[in-house]
């Protein structure tokens, strides 16, 4: 099969997360077999997304509006700001349907290895937002990795002079987690942070 | 996230083989983070494929040419025809880089359960091709499933009056296969079809 379009499609799909050359072939076959029902809608929706999706200038979220629907939602609490590394984390928190404040998407973590400093993250805009005075609480929801925690510490330092309370997500045993399978770090953290029964 | 384009993209991706809602979200996130490098090329290639790919009127293959590159390749042997169920099977045989004849893609199998009769498959066009007189050998490379074998039998009957030799793929132990893990059917077939050492 020396037809570049199909090969090129397979190549692009095989680079997507969770797909390899084999599954990319299966995807492309399915697309070509369901041209009207799947391939065309995918093409159209991709085109629309490319055209419409922009970065929210307030929080760094991606949306078809700027400011995004979360930032412009008057029912959400302006005084609480949840700081996340990435869009995926924002989505994860939104899915648990519990948080009614606003967000700030950093766009990554500080990383000495990957040569990523504070200027490459949306930290300056966070300081500006906090400086505006409306924010009373910051929830640092960076990942529980070394980079995530380093970033959280850096942000805490940067927000030192402001009158905001800063909290972070609780660490402990995940729901349904079995002690036997937990790593020592998690178990230790859960033990230190034990709560009255 | 109440933005239809992103949700719709995730919905379409989650329907593709090998992807679920979770991996579809990861794919869409990667696309949005790599708009220029991945999302745009995917959109463009999909558009080109939609526009250019057509079904070969001779063999049923999908290609940007009609007749397809295989059918119009003068270096390939016109006298041997490999009959496959599906495009995926044609690709699989092409990948082993051994077969230098031409193909005929049936577009599926006969199936009483799915109510698929001979008229829904490219069988009539196969009979016409064979009737033209150039074909001397037919290799029935349908799958080793009940439907595949039923279809092979049906085709053998339909080609009864023609002067062609009909063969099918050998059944036996797959390369690297361990006897202990093989199903009884395969082992039995391999035993019956044993070859002198």
């Amino acid at each position: 099969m020396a037809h570049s379009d199909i090969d090129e499609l397979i190549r692009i799909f095989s680079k997507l997360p969770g797909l390899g050359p084999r599954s990319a072939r299966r995807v492309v076959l399915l697309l070509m077999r369901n041209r009207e029902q799947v391939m065309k809608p995918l093409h159209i929706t991709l085109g629309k997304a490319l055209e419409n999706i922009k970065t929210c200038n307030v929080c760094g979220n991606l949306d078809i509006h700027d400011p995004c629907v979360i930032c412009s939602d008057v029912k959400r609490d302006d005084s609480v700001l949840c700081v996340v590394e990435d869009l995926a984390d924002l989505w994860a928190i939104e899915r648990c349907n519990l948080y009614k404040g606003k967000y700030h998407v950093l766009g990554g973590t500080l990383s000495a290895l990957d040569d990523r400093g504070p200027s490459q993250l949306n930290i300056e805009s966070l300081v500006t937002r906090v400086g505006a005075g409306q924010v009373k609480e910051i929830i640092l929801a960076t990942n529980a990795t070394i980079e995530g925690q380093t970033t959280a510490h850096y942000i805490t330092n940067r927000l030192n002079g402001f009158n905001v309370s800063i909290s972070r997500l609780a660490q402990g045993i995940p729901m349904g987690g079995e002690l036997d399978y937990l790593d020592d770090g998690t178990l230790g953290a859960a033990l230190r942070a034990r709560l009255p029964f």
Side-chain angles (χ1 to χ4, degrees), chain A:
Chain A
M1 12 147 217
H3 20 69
S4 51
D5 290 342
I6 300 179
D7 290 343
E8 179 67 9
L9 259 191
I10 295 174
R11 200 192 58 78
I12 296 176
F13 272 107
S14 70
K15 295 277 186 294
L16 298 181
L19 292 170
R22 207 185 183 86
S23 41
R25 273 201 302 271
R26 279 173 56 215
V27 165
V28 172
L29 274 170
L30 179 132
L31 287 179
M32 297 203 301
R33 280 192 211 120
N34 301 277
R35 186 189 285 236
E36 294 301 318
Q37 308 95 297
V38 188
M39 198 169 179
K40 213 171 244 177
L42 178 59
H43 179 244
I44 292 170
T45 317
L46 267 175
K48 274 200 268 179
L50 270 169
E51 201 173 309
N52 296 333
I53 294 171
K54 30 191 169 284
T55 305
C56 171
N57 270 317
V58 180
C59 73
N61 186 12
L62 291 176
D63 196 4
I64 51 172
H65 304 287
D66 177 20
C68 72
V69 280
I70 295 179
C71 282
S72 50
D73 187 344
V74 289
K75 276 184 263 162
R76 297 188 78 121
D77 190 352
D78 264 331
S79 68
V80 193
L81 222 53
C82 181
V83 178
V84 292
E85 289 179 16
D86 208 4
L87 199 54
D89 306 321
L90 185 156
W91 289 4
I93 294 176
E94 280 299 280
R95 278 199 300 279
C96 74
N97 225 334
L98 205 82
Y99 179 67
K100 292 297 166 207
K102 308 233 162 154
Y103 289 95
H104 197 85
V105 183
L106 294 174
T109 54
L110 298 175
S111 168
L113 271 175
D114 295 337
D115 203 22
R116 241 189 344 263
S119 62
Q120 275 127 298
L121 305 180
N122 297 326
I123 292 183
E124 232 25 73
S125 58
L126 173 65
V127 176
T128 313
R129 269 180 103 177
V130 174
Q134 218 162 16
V135 179
K136 298 293 166 227
E137 185 185 352
I138 301 266
I139 303 171
L140 293 174
T142 52
N143 289 329
T145 55
I146 295 181
E147 284 91 356
Q149 295 307 306
T150 311
T151 312
H153 277 292
Y154 177 84
I155 291 173
T156 315
N157 285 339
R158 280 299 307 267
L159 298 176
N160 220 342
F162 297 103
N163 181 27
V164 282
S165 70
I166 300 179
S167 58
R168 62 181 181 113
L169 297 183
Q171 290 193 318
I173 305 166
M175 287 275 186
E178 296 184 44
L179 298 195
D180 197 21
Y181 290 100
L182 278 181
D183 61 296
D184 301 347
T186 305
L187 202 51
L191 204 57
R192 277 195 301 277
R194 64 190 177 281
L195 297 165
F197 197 75

